[in-house]
Amino acid sequence: MRTRSFTSFRVAAAALWLGAAVLRPGAAVPALQAQEAPARDDPIASLVGRLTLDNYKTTLKGLTQFGDRRQGTQRNRDAVDWIETQLQAFGCTNTERIFYTYPPPPPPDAAPRGTPPRGGGVRRRPGPNEGDLTTATGGLVGRRGPGSGGSTLFGYRGPTGVNRDLMAQPDERIRELNREEPVDGERSEVYCTKVGTTRPDEMYIIGAHMDGHGVNEAVNDDGSGTALVMELARVFSAPDVETERSIRFVLWNNEETGLNGARAYVAQRQELQGIENPPGSGQYPEPRWVGMVQHDMMLWDHGAPGPDGLVSRNQRPEADVNIEFQSNSEMADESMKLAFFFKAANEDYATDYPAAVGPHMTNTDSTPFMDIVPAISLRENERGAQVGAGWDPNWHQPTDVWTTYSDDDFRLGLNAAQTTLAALAQLTAAKLDN
C-alpha cells in the first residue's frame, strides 16, 4: 500500500466537497474520521485487503467461457445466468432481474426509417492535413476533430472500429463461441443489493456492462468492469460487513447497442425511488439514488499510438485509473465532487496505480443517470480523447482475449476495484462486525 497522504486538511476538504451535494442534508460524511487511524484499526483497509489479484482474475476468467457475450445470443443469456449464480454464491443472494425488449419501440415523434439524422446524414470526410478518422459512432477524433466526449487529442492516433468478421479471430475455439448472431427480442440483466442497516432508503448504484462484441472474449470491454463489480459484491456481502446505506451492484446488458439496459433501468425504476413497500415495513425496493459509479474497460493504459499507429505492448509506468464526470450534465458540480472523493480514496488505499480526474464521461452506462444523480465512470483511459483515438487497439477487436493481458494490466483493474471499494466504504459508513 502506498504511503498515506490523507491529511486532516484533506479530510475537511472531502467533507466540504460531499456535504449536502452527495449526502442528504445534515448527514455527516461517514468514516472520514477514521482515515488517520493505523491500518490495523482501519476497517476500510481491512476491506480493501480482501480484494486480491487472484480472485479478480478468477472471476474475470470465468466470464471468458461465454465469448464476447454479444446481446441477443444464447451466450449472452448464459452469461447473465452465470453472473446471477456467482453473485448468489458470493453471498449477494437477493438477486433480481430487469426485463426489456431490444430494439426498443421508437418514440411517437420518431422520424421515419431512412430519414437522415439530425445535423446531416453523411459523415464528413477529414479536411486537408487533419489526419482524422471517424469513430464507429460517427464522431471525429484526431488533431482537429472533437472526440465523442468533446475532447481534442493533439498527436498521433490509431484506427478504431468494430470487428464483425468471424474469420478475423485466429483462435478456432473463440470463433465457435461467437458464431451465433443476435436475434431481436426480450433481454434481461441482473442486480443484487447490500441493504443498509440504518439508511436503507439511500443507495449507491455500482455498475458495469456484461455484454461485448468483436468476436473475442470481451476480457477488457467489459469483463474487466463486470468482474470488478462482482468482486465488490463479494466483499460487501460478507456476513461480518455492515453498511449504513444500501449498495446495488448492477451488471448492465445491451451497452454496446446504445446503453439500452441502463436506460431500461432508469425508465422502470426512477419513479420508485424511496417508496417504502409495504408501507411501514422498512423495506425500499428502490432506495433513493445518491450516487452512480460505472466501470467500463479497466485494464489497458499503454500510452498513445506512435507515428506508425501502434501502441506499446507494455503497461506504461504512468498508467493510472481515470475517473470521469460529464462537465455539461445537470449534476456536474456534484459529480465532480464525487470524482475527487474517489481520487482521494485511491491515494489512501490503492496499492500500485494513482488516479486522475477528467470532465468527459461519455458513451457509458452512467450517461442515463448523469442528469438525475451524481454520476462518475472509472476506466483505463479518457473515453473521448484517448480510447476514441486508438489508445486501446483491442477495443472491439479479436485481440480482446485473455492471452493479450499481463498481470500489470490485471492489476490496474484491481486498483480500480480498490479505489471504488475504499470510497464506497466511506460513503456508506461500512464497518466490520468483530
Side-chain angles (χ1 to χ4, degrees), residues 4 26 54 105 107 111 123 138 146 173 191 197 237 308 348 358 392 407 413:
R4 296 189 166 217
D54 284 347
R123 301 179 185 180
R173 178 188 64 85
Y191 64 86
T197 56
S237 298
D308 55 3
D348 210 40
D392 188 340
D407 275 358

Side-chain angles (χ1 to χ4, degrees), residues 212-229:
H213 59 177
V215 192
N216 50 42
E217 294 175 315
V219 172
N220 192 26
D221 187 13
D222 185 27
S224 61
T226 299
L228 186 160
V229 172

Side-chain angles (χ1 to χ4, degrees), residues 244-307:
E244 289 187 6
R245 293 175 178 83
S246 298
I247 309 170
R248 180 153 293 168
F249 306 96
V250 190
L251 291 316
W252 315 110
N253 207 340
N254 277 90
E255 189 270 353
E256 301 290 4
T257 56
L259 320 181
N260 302 99
R263 296 188 194 281
Y265 184 95
V266 171
Q268 295 180 30
R269 308 295 297 181
Q270 181 179 358
E271 299 303 319
L272 303 178
Q273 290 183 73
I275 299 175
E276 193 177 17
N277 189 17
S281 66
Q283 298 178 23
Y284 297 86
E286 190 65 29
R288 183 171 62 86
W289 307 341
V290 291
M292 193 277 160
V293 184
Q294 173 69 5
H295 304 82
D296 194 348
M297 300 172 62
M298 315 308 304
L299 305 181
W300 187 278
D301 190 2
H302 291 210

Side-chain angles (χ1 to χ4, degrees), residues 56-204:
Y56 177 61
K57 289 173 62 178
T58 296
T59 301
L60 179 49
K61 182 67 173 176
L63 287 162
T64 66
Q65 68 184 291
F66 305 103
D68 65 11
R69 306 180 296 280
R70 189 176 177 187
Q71 64 84 28
T73 62
Q74 187 61 47
R75 61 185 181 272
N76 176 277
R77 295 186 289 273
D78 290 345
V80 174
D81 291 343
W82 180 85
I83 290 168
E84 182 170 31
T85 299
Q86 289 297 113
L87 289 174
Q88 292 174 349
F90 288 163
C92 205
T93 56
N94 56 358
T95 56
E96 297 185 62
R97 297 271 185 121
I98 291 287
F99 294 92
Y100 58 97
T101 300
Y102 180 81
D109 58 348
R113 293 190 66 176
T115 302
R118 289 181 300 169
V122 180
R123 301 179 185 180
R124 76 173 181 88
R125 297 179 64 83
N129 303 318
E130 285 191 37
D132 291 322
L133 298 175
T134 54
T135 67
T137 54
L140 229 94
V141 180
R143 287 185 58 85
R144 304 188 189 281
S148 53
S151 302
T152 300
L153 176 69
F154 295 93
Y156 301 108
R157 60 152 293 143
T160 60
V162 179
N163 174 61
R164 299 291 195 200
D165 180 6
L166 188 70
M167 297 311 296
Q169 174 55 252
D171 188 308
E172 182 178 0
R173 178 188 64 85
I174 298 175
R175 281 203 307 271
E176 290 307 308
L177 285 175
N178 294 296
R179 184 172 293 279
E180 181 191 2
E181 290 293 316
V183 176
D184 293 346
E186 186 179 74
R187 304 287 187 264
S188 74
E189 59 196 14
V190 65
Y191 64 86
C192 67
T193 309
K194 173 73 174 181
V195 179
T197 56
T198 61
R199 299 181 184 177
D201 58 325
E202 300 176 357
M203 178 174 72
Y204 284 88

Side-chain angles (χ1 to χ4, degrees), residues 388-403:
W391 285 43
D392 188 340
N394 310 304
W395 182 37
H396 299 159
Q397 298 302 306
T399 51
D400 192 4
V401 295
W402 185 264
T403 54

